[in-house]
Amino acid sequence: TIEEYKEKIAINQTDKDGNLVGLYASDKDKQDAYITSAKKREFDVVLFSDVLDSHFINAIESKIEKFSFKRVDADTFDKLVDKGLKSEVVLLEDDKKKVEEAFKEFAGTNIVQIEALPVDETPVSIVMPEFMRRYADMSKLNGQGNMFGNMPPMFNLVVNGNHPLVNKIAQEGNQNGLVKQLYDLALLSQGMLNGNDLTQFIE
């Protein structure tokens, strides 16, 4: 039941304001990397893969106070379940700027975030804010098509400032196209790498 679920996640998934955060995935295969990372932190992930689940999520949230659902790839886990703990990025400010500029070349108008994540987390990942994803899902469900039209969806590129490969980029620059490879891997993990970019990655 909902009450049993709330009790199950209460210890690990209560934020600094006392709000319970339920984490969910919509595709266990495509989001396996994010689910695996969640499990490392002992977070529970619910599978919402049915076409009506977006309505179910909204209905549950409207009935239960201080409770919300967030998709596992909507942000970093420290922000999805904000416990008020601040980790530090090992990179110096100048190195942060170097890394940000290196990834900005490929990310275009998308936001590049340098975050303090565990060293065993992926060096680069792609997240889409929860409200944007829900709006897009609801638009499709209501027959309104893609809210972005022909434009690609906007996302945030999260760079793990504590990962050895990111530190290598800060010190040595984009050696052997490392930045592009990490960016392509992040796209690939979200099923967003296609066309000529996919062909070049495979080659």
Side-chain angles (χ1 to χ4, degrees), residues 29-93:
D29 292 325
K30 288 184 179 179
Q31 293 159 333
D32 183 71
Y34 297 89
I35 295 170
T36 300
S37 293
K39 288 180 178 178
K40 284 181 185 177
R41 296 171 181 242
E42 298 186 343
F43 289 155
D44 186 78
V45 181
V46 181
L47 181 63
F48 284 147
S49 57
D50 192 271
V51 67
L52 294 177
D53 279 334
S54 55
H55 287 295
F56 174 75
I57 291 171
N58 291 336
I60 291 295
E61 289 178 333
S62 68
K63 292 178 180 179
I64 303 175
E65 290 186 5
K66 305 194 79 170
F67 180 86
S68 64
F69 276 112
K70 296 178 182 178
R71 210 168 96 163
V72 287
D73 57 354
D75 212 326
T76 61
F77 290 110
D78 289 340
K79 291 183 178 177
L80 289 176
V81 185
D82 184 3
K83 294 184 177 290
L85 303 174
K86 298 298 178 185
S87 302
E88 294 295 326
V89 176
V90 296
L91 296 177
L92 299 173
E93 284 302 318

Side-chain angles (χ1 to χ4, degrees), residues 100-181:
E100 186 174 349
E101 288 172 4
F103 281 98
K104 197 70 179 170
E105 180 182 343
F106 301 102
T109 57
N110 296 297
I111 297 171
V112 177
Q113 302 171 210
I114 310 292
E115 299 284 353
L117 303 175
V119 293
D120 61 347
E121 289 284 353
T122 54
V124 184
S125 57
I126 285 174
V127 300
M128 182 185 290
E130 183 72 16
F131 76 93
M132 289 181 64
R133 192 183 301 279
R134 283 202 200 185
Y135 191 81
D137 290 345
M138 293 297 287
S139 295
K140 289 178 184 176
L141 194 59
N142 293 331
Q144 296 173 9
N146 184 0
M147 67 179 247
F148 302 102
N150 293 323
M151 294 173 58
M154 301 299 291
F155 57 80
N156 295 353
L157 186 72
V158 178
V159 179
N160 183 356
N162 293 334
H163 196 282
L165 285 177
V166 174
N167 186 57
K168 183 177 181 180
I169 291 167
Q171 302 306 316
E172 302 175 14
N174 188 19
Q175 296 289 329
N176 300 316
L178 180 57
V179 173
K180 182 70 164 71
Q181 286 186 14

